[in-house]
Amino acid sequence: MSFSFSQASAPSHPLAPYGWDDAWADTFAPYAEQGLLPGRVVRVDRGLCDVVTPAGTLRADTAFVVPRDPMRIVCTGDWVAVDPDGDPQFVRAILPRRTAFVRSTSSQRSEGQVLATNIDHIVICVSLAVELDLGRLERFLALAMSATAGAALLGDGSPSPGHEAQPLVLLTKADLVPDATTLSHLVQDIERIAPGVQVLTVSSATGEGVDVFGAIVAGGTSVLLGTSGAGKSTLANTLLGTDVMHVQEAREVDGKGRHTTTTRNLLVLPGGGVLIDTPGLRGVGLWDAESGVGQVFSEIEDLARQCRFHDCGHEAEPGCAVLGAIEDGTLAERRLDSYRKLLRENHRIAAKTDARLRSETLREWKRRGAEGREALAMKRGRTR
């Protein structure tokens, strides 16, 4: 079976609603010559994935592309090349990712976990049903602003030029804050720690802000991130106009949800655009996020360049512009503490990752050396 869909212009392509464009067609061209089908992964579950293709949605095995590096496993949002025939069908290749949202795992191996790929908008959902956790939001923002740097997981290791994932902070359940002045102050609190990031209030219950948010995500692929109970699935259902995602009420005692979404699902919105809904995140460990930390805390890094000493630790050094800003009230001490904490965590993860990679490389060299010695011994034995 052969298909010519991969060569069709982007607007007329069956995968256009899922984000297919001429650039993806050019990237896929070598696989089209092999008779493979293009497709986008809409769900991954235990070594299998649902892939939407020009021939329909199929269930594909990922066994052929299971690498040792967990950063390169098939993920929701990936564009892939799959067998047009076969039982079972297999994913044969993953196309280079334009962007990716990556966090560190809770394992002792210091590995990254890719949550969504080829995304244009990273939507951080924060529930107004509970007290704002500014530190957690700063952590989400640091990872979101590092998403482009984390995209180079396939190919030659270089990010795709001209592709960036734009973060957006979405304050959900705005109907629970009926006082307009209080709501305005909450938005201002977020804007102060999210430089250059749009902050939007929405309510799935009343429809407030939903049209504006729908217009934003109508272009490209967006991923919803946040803790359980933040209203991600409810918001997805509101945009879809039907109850596709199962939801439960958050606990009244702490506003937390019950993880009703258990997989990352890619959904096509009726108003245009693609939405990836994700399970609630308990832990958000940093992963290669130094550039993102610098952007989130740009005012501290700007102040640091004014310090008397270029290696100022902002502890008790004379002429420290950062400490001076804290003393005159222009910089909150909480902000500096959060900056230090995230930088330390990121450096610790990077150091552990480097050590793990060095250890794995050494083991690989030893394995190859042993194989080489064994092959040489066998050759010598045959020539005697």
Side-chain angles (χ1 to χ4, degrees), residues 206-228:
T206 65
E208 175 190 345
V210 173
D211 288 345
V212 176
F213 178 60
I216 293 173
V217 300
T221 299
S222 304
V223 59
L224 298 179
L225 298 170
T227 59
S228 295

Side-chain angles (χ1 to χ4, degrees), residues 69 71-72 96-97 99-100 102 114 117 149-155 157-158 287:
D69 186 351
M71 298 275 278
R72 297 171 182 263
R97 294 161 175 165
T99 54
V102 185
V114 186
T117 64
L153 308 179
L154 299 171
S158 302
W287 178 266

Side-chain angles (χ1 to χ4, degrees), residues 12 62 93 111 194 246 282 338 377:
S12 61
T62 63
E111 296 173 335
H246 180 59
R282 288 193 179 95
S338 183

Side-chain angles (χ1 to χ4, degrees), residues 5-313:
F5 292 121
S6 60
Q7 303 301 322
S9 61
S12 61
H13 197 283
L15 295 178
Y18 291 86
W20 183 264
D21 57 30
D22 290 337
W24 285 121
D26 291 341
T27 303
F28 188 79
Y31 301 105
E33 293 175 356
Q34 301 173 32
L36 299 177
L37 275 178
R40 193 162 196 192
V41 178
V42 298
R43 185 173 180 270
V44 180
D45 181 28
R46 300 178 182 178
L48 298 174
C49 61
D50 294 337
V51 184
V52 59
T53 75
T57 301
L58 55 85
R59 189 76 162 156
D61 197 314
T62 63
F64 274 94
V65 289
V66 176
R68 296 177 62 184
D69 186 351
M71 298 275 278
R72 297 171 182 263
I73 63 175
V74 175
C75 181
T76 302
D78 274 333
W79 287 98
V80 297
V82 297
D83 290 322
D85 301 298
D87 185 18
Q89 292 173 298
F90 289 93
V91 173
R92 294 291 178 174
I94 306 173
L95 274 60
R97 294 161 175 165
R98 292 177 179 176
T99 54
F101 186 90
V102 185
R103 68 167 178 177
S104 67
T105 65
S106 58
S107 70
Q108 298 300 312
R109 288 175 52 81
S110 303
E111 296 173 335
Q113 179 189 22
V114 186
L115 299 185
T117 64
N118 301 312
I119 43 182
D120 302 289
H121 305 285
I122 298 175
V123 184
I124 304 169
C125 298
V126 179
S127 172
L128 291 175
V130 295
E131 184 177 355
L132 291 179
D133 186 339
L134 298 180
R136 175 179 287 272
L137 179 55
E138 287 165 342
R139 180 180 293 271
F140 268 107
L141 287 168
L143 286 171
M145 292 181 176
S146 303
T148 300
L153 308 179
L154 299 171
D156 64 1
S158 302
S160 300
H163 292 105
E164 295 184 356
Q166 299 295 326
L168 167 69
V169 177
L170 206 62
L171 300 181
T172 64
K173 306 183 182 182
D175 55 290
L176 299 181
V177 187
D179 182 68
T181 301
T182 301
L183 187 59
S184 176
H185 287 159
L186 290 172
V187 171
Q188 291 172 14
D189 288 342
I190 301 299
E191 290 175 337
R192 276 193 287 269
I193 70 166
V197 176
Q198 184 175 3
V199 181
L200 183 66
T201 59
V202 299
S203 169
S204 296
T206 65
E208 175 190 345
V210 173
D211 288 345
V212 176
F213 178 60
I216 293 173
V217 300
T221 299
S222 304
V223 59
L224 298 179
L225 298 170
T227 59
S228 295
K232 300 183 299 298
S233 295
T234 301
L235 182 61
N237 286 338
T238 301
L239 292 175
L240 290 164
T242 182
D243 290 342
V244 174
M245 305 305 298
H246 180 59
V247 297
Q248 292 185 22
E249 292 293 332
R251 298 195 301 253
E252 292 184 4
V253 64
D254 56 10
K256 292 183 179 179
R258 298 178 174 83
H259 292 282
T260 51
T261 300
T262 57
T263 59
R264 295 183 287 275
N265 302 280
L266 187 148
L267 310 163
V268 175
L269 298 175
V274 176
L275 193 68
I276 299 177
D277 189 23
T278 65
L281 299 176
R282 288 193 179 95
V284 195
L286 297 188
W287 178 266
D288 192 20
E290 186 169 356
S291 63
V293 172
Q295 292 180 64
V296 174
F297 297 91
S298 57
E299 82 279 24
I300 296 179
E301 301 215 333
D302 288 342
L303 286 168
R305 285 189 280 270
Q306 303 173 32
C307 292
R308 181 182 301 178
F309 304 106
H310 73 277
D311 58 348
C312 183

